[in-house]
Amino acid sequence: DRDLIRRFYLKNGFADVQVVAALTEYDPEKKGFNVTFKIEGGAQYRVGSVDFRSSIPNFDPSSLRAYSRVYAGSLYNVESVEKSVEEMQIEASRRGYAFAVVRPGGDRNFEAHTVSVVFNIDEGPRTYIERINLRGNTRTRDYVIRREFDISEGDAYNRALVDRAERRLKNLDYFKSVKITTEPGSSSDRVILIVDMEEKSTGDFSISGGYSTTDGALAEVSVSERNLLGKGLYAKASVSYGQYSWGISLSFVEPYLLDYRLALGFDTYWRQQLSNSYTSYGVTTLGFAPRLGFALREDLSLQLRYSLYQQSITLASAYNNCNNNASNTSLAFNPTPAYIKNVLGGVDPTNATDSGVYGYGCYGDGESSLPVRKELANGATWTSALGYTLNYNTLDNTKNPTDGLLIDFRQDSAGGGGDVTYLKTAIDTKYYTSLVSDIVSVIHLQGGILNKLGDQDLRMLDHFQMGPNLVRGFASNGIGPRDITHWSLGASGDALGGTKYWGASMELQMPFWFLPKEVGLKGAVYADAGSLWGYQGPTSWAATGEVNTAACPTCGLQYDDGNLVRSSVGVGLIWASPFGPLRFDYAVPITKGKYDIVQEFRFGGGTSF
């Protein structure tokens, strides 16, 4: 703990920090020990200058400046210095200087509270790797472990590359522990690398259950193996069944295609989302999506993908059957048929002739919008899309991050064989930083745009749909353009989605000081803001067939575009419970649209057993 405390201070600019004592005193009343750390923090330093020097002939040290994570004026951070040393040493090795060693140095200016950082590039001892011995891998094949090394027998020994290999092996999540040490070789310029590992179970059979305010009750049975046959292959099969949705999915990933650091994977899935309190229609999706991913750097990766899927819309049985069917006059209407007939100027929705000509059918709560009925008339639609994701990740922990930056930039272009065409672009950024003690700040920025390609209209289903994923305090599909054609009649109308959105969120997460950390309970306070607008889907039907727009001008779509800022503030409870992760949120909207749907309380979670 003393070392961790000292390292925390060094990450935050306190270059003179000393943890001089850790005193323990027994308290008989509490029947436990009070531990007191005595810390001499000193002044907080910033980087005054960054310089590069080399003793290697014909090596330009300034060429490594691009690999430095330390900048003049920034807060002095010992971890940034260490990561810079690693990147520079690896780059020097790539350029043919296999024995180059980068040593950092620093001169403090005690009056100005700055540190002048100097990176010295020198020629290290000429040491070669004689052997790499693996110990403890009873199931995992040797080549699965060796391919995580960028060096092999006979290569120059490079400590930075060895440390990188150790991190990669730990990140595989095949082992409980991984430790790489060195032993003297057969001569003074030879070393032997010893890789000690302890394997752990990599297969999972889980029965999961959960409940969320969006999807209702949900159960899933899945079988997965992330080290299939000891070859490092990943495979998963799952079946889910819920109150409003069910589906089947199969996934497979080969992380090293043809012995290159290329991950080839594919997903096959079938999903059916039913109509619920947020949507008047259901969507059935059947798809196949192969993908290819590779690392550009340790913190930067690129994934290429292709998606082919079919979507079809279904309506709730009562609304689906009542159109053009005079026998359904006994269906309950809200509002009443008489009121609709009066407002619509003599049109009787219970009359087969009127409802057939004007396309009204059974209006009331849950009435499907014109774009929904148009999708229903078009039948099943195929989408063929090419896309990529550029991912930048410096998080210290992917499951429970406290520091680092995560950026996802995605683009998908549909067309070339499918029934729809579009270009969809989205970016999602999260920045985590520790403020004081265990308080973590999370800044979340996101945005997206959907562009029309060619002369083909955009479908409603291809639009962005937003709710609490953009601004908490609103229902699913509760934000943005909405059908208000029959709003005066009491029908809430479907969310139409938008072609543009942006969102910003600031959150503070903190544990409860009066509870042990083992409880896994944290609180959160946050403020969200964002907007979704720019619906570009169908607004009317041609004046032929079922609906005659010339005779019935109100048959066209009336909608609110929703181009205003929504905002909310709220509190949350995050619990890493024995039943799985749970989160409870209560958010109050500050600004909202006239037709937005508010949902102040929201929770979700699940478990495996």
Side-chain angles (χ1 to χ4, degrees):
D1 287 341
R2 292 176 63 174
D3 292 338
L4 291 173
I5 291 172
R6 181 173 180 273
R7 193 163 185 82
F8 174 80
Y9 273 80
L10 289 173
K11 284 172 54 180
N12 290 275
F14 296 91
D16 299 324
V17 64
Q18 293 291 330
V19 184
V20 295
L23 306 176
T24 59
E25 182 180 1
Y26 183 74
D27 187 337
E29 293 185 0
K30 296 182 178 180
K31 297 182 179 180
F33 284 88
N34 294 321
V35 182
T36 304
F37 293 95
K38 186 177 180 181
I39 305 167
E40 295 179 359
Q44 191 176 40
Y45 288 80
R46 306 193 82 84
V47 178
S49 62
V50 182
D51 197 11
F52 300 84
R53 299 171 187 169
S54 173
S55 62
I56 302 176
N58 302 321
F59 186 89
D60 179 15
S62 61
S63 63
L64 296 179
R65 185 176 294 273
Y67 299 90
S68 173
R69 301 190 182 190
V70 183
Y71 308 97
S74 64
L75 200 65
Y76 178 75
N77 185 333
V78 70
E79 282 195 359
S80 297
V81 174
E82 292 172 350
K83 290 178 180 178
S84 300
V85 168
E86 179 181 316
E87 294 291 337
M88 293 177 190
Q89 194 160 314
I90 291 174
E91 178 59 23
S93 177
R94 287 173 180 160
R95 297 181 185 181
Y97 300 91
F99 302 101
V101 177
V102 180
R103 297 185 175 91
D107 295 326
R108 294 181 180 86
N109 185 325
F110 297 100
E111 295 180 358
H113 301 312
T114 60
V115 178
S116 298
V117 179
V118 180
F119 292 102
N120 298 291
I121 299 96
D122 303 314
E123 187 80 15
R126 292 182 172 269
T127 306
Y128 297 88
I129 298 173
E130 184 173 326
R131 291 195 313 276
I132 300 177
N133 291 342
L134 309 180
R135 298 193 303 211
N137 57 313
T138 57
R139 181 169 179 267
T140 306
R141 310 289 179 93
D142 282 5
Y143 72 86
V144 173
I145 299 168
R146 293 180 181 275
R147 68 190 182 188
E148 298 300 328
F149 286 80
D150 291 327
I151 50 178
S152 58
E153 284 92 344
D155 290 345
Y157 174 75
N158 187 315
R159 186 67 218 179
L161 292 175
V162 173
D163 291 341
R164 173 177 285 187
E166 184 174 313
R167 278 202 312 275
R168 287 175 175 172
L169 289 173
K170 290 178 178 177
N171 290 336
L172 289 176
D173 201 25
Y174 302 162
F175 311 101
K176 291 181 180 178
S177 63
V178 178
K179 185 66 177 177
I180 302 179
T181 56
T182 60
E183 292 181 356
S186 58
S187 61
S188 59
D189 62 347
R190 298 287 189 272
V191 295
I192 299 173
L193 295 184
I194 307 297
V195 186
D196 287 302
M197 299 155 287
E198 183 182 356
E199 290 186 318
K200 66 179 182 180
S201 175
T202 56
D204 292 303
F205 172 78
S206 66
I207 303 174
S208 304
Y211 185 88
S212 75
T213 45
T214 303
D215 300 323
L218 183 70
E220 181 183 81
V221 177
S222 67
V223 179
S224 66
E225 173 60 69
R226 57 184 184 275
N227 187 15
L228 185 64
L229 303 176
K231 297 181 178 181
L233 305 174
Y234 174 84
K236 180 178 180 180
S238 66
V239 178
S240 61
Y241 184 85
Q243 187 175 355
Y244 300 122
S245 65
W246 52 77
I248 301 172
S249 67
L250 299 172
S251 300
F252 178 82
V253 178
E254 163 58 87
Y256 274 80
L257 181 64
L258 301 177
D259 292 329
Y260 290 97
R261 197 176 289 276
L262 296 173
L264 174 66
F266 68 83
D267 300 292
T268 303
Y269 53 91
W270 174 83
R271 292 193 299 264
Q272 187 168 31
Q273 185 74 35
L274 304 180
S275 58
N276 52 45
S277 56
Y278 304 110
T279 58
S280 68
Y281 59 93
V283 180
T284 302
T285 306
L286 174 66
F288 174 72
R291 60 189 185 275
L292 186 68
F294 52 92
L296 303 176
R297 297 188 331 196
E298 283 295 297
D299 54 7
L300 187 65
S301 62
L302 177 66
Q303 183 191 87
L304 307 176
R305 61 180 172 274
Y306 171 72
S307 300
L308 179 66
Y309 58 92
Q310 182 195 66
Q311 283 184 313
S312 58
I313 278 185
T314 57
L315 300 183
S317 58
Y319 299 107
N320 191 37
N321 295 331
C322 70
N323 280 305
N324 303 320
N325 189 343
S327 64
N328 283 321
T329 56
S330 61
L331 283 174
F333 286 89
N334 184 12
T336 63
Y339 178 65
I340 299 177
K341 181 176 180 180
N342 180 55
V343 172
L344 298 180
V347 176
D348 186 353
T350 65
N351 181 278
T353 304
D354 284 351
S355 64
V357 172
Y358 297 110
Y360 290 117
C362 301
Y363 282 141
D365 291 341
E367 167 64 18
S368 296
S369 299
L370 180 146
V372 176
R373 287 178 280 139
K374 186 171 183 179
E375 291 288 347
L376 183 66
N378 289 338
T381 302
W382 284 95
T383 299
S384 173
L386 285 171
Y388 69 92
T389 297
L390 195 62
N391 177 272
Y392 178 75
N393 188 344
T394 63
L395 298 182
D396 58 345
N397 187 309
T398 55
K399 292 184 178 180
N400 188 25
T402 61
D403 186 73
L405 180 64
L406 177 65
I407 302 176
D408 268 318
F409 179 79
R410 302 170 57 93
Q411 274 196 315
D412 290 278
S413 177
D419 299 321
V420 297
T421 59
Y422 62 77
L423 176 64
K424 185 177 288 189
T425 305
I427 185 170
D428 193 292
T429 301
K430 292 181 181 178
Y431 176 66
Y432 297 82
T433 182
S434 297
L435 299 181
V436 292
S437 186
D438 292 322
I439 299 179
V440 177
S441 167
V442 186
I443 298 175
H444 185 192
L445 303 175
Q446 54 182 318
I449 184 169
L450 175 66
N451 296 107
K452 178 180 177 181
L453 296 180
D455 298 329
Q456 192 168 355
D457 291 334
L458 294 172
R459 297 191 312 157
M460 185 198 73
L461 290 181
D462 295 326
H463 284 59
F464 296 110
Q465 295 283 358
M466 294 291 169
N469 55 330
L470 191 69
V471 181
R472 285 165 284 195
F474 293 87
S476 295
N477 302 338
I479 293 176
R482 184 173 298 278
D483 178 9
I484 59 172
T485 306
H486 305 289
W487 188 270
S488 61
L489 306 180
S492 59
D494 287 312
L496 303 176
T499 57
K500 304 176 185 68
Y501 76 91
W502 67 269
S505 174
M506 173 68 182
E507 179 169 305
L508 295 178
Q509 298 178 357
M510 65 211 77
F512 293 103
W513 59 270
F514 52 85
L515 293 176
K517 283 188 176 181
E518 292 76 13
V519 175
L521 202 60
K522 294 190 297 183
V525 294
Y526 53 81
D528 297 345
S531 185
L532 171 69
W533 73 99
Y535 173 72
Q536 295 182 18
T539 57
S540 64
W541 281 12
T544 58
E546 184 182 349
V547 178
N548 188 330
T549 56
C552 176
T554 58
C555 293
L557 175 70
Q558 299 176 36
Y559 68 96
D560 174 70
D561 191 57
N563 188 9
L564 54 88
V565 176
R566 282 84 171 175
S567 62
S568 68
V569 293
V571 295
L573 187 64
I574 307 167
W575 185 24
S577 75
F579 313 104
L582 298 172
R583 174 152 184 159
F584 303 83
D585 282 295
Y586 182 79
V588 179
I590 304 301
T591 60
K592 64 184 183 70
K594 178 180 178 181
Y595 305 102
D596 290 343
I597 300 177
V598 172
Q599 185 187 45
E600 296 178 344
F601 179 71
R602 181 179 178 84
F603 72 96
T607 185
S608 296
F609 53 88

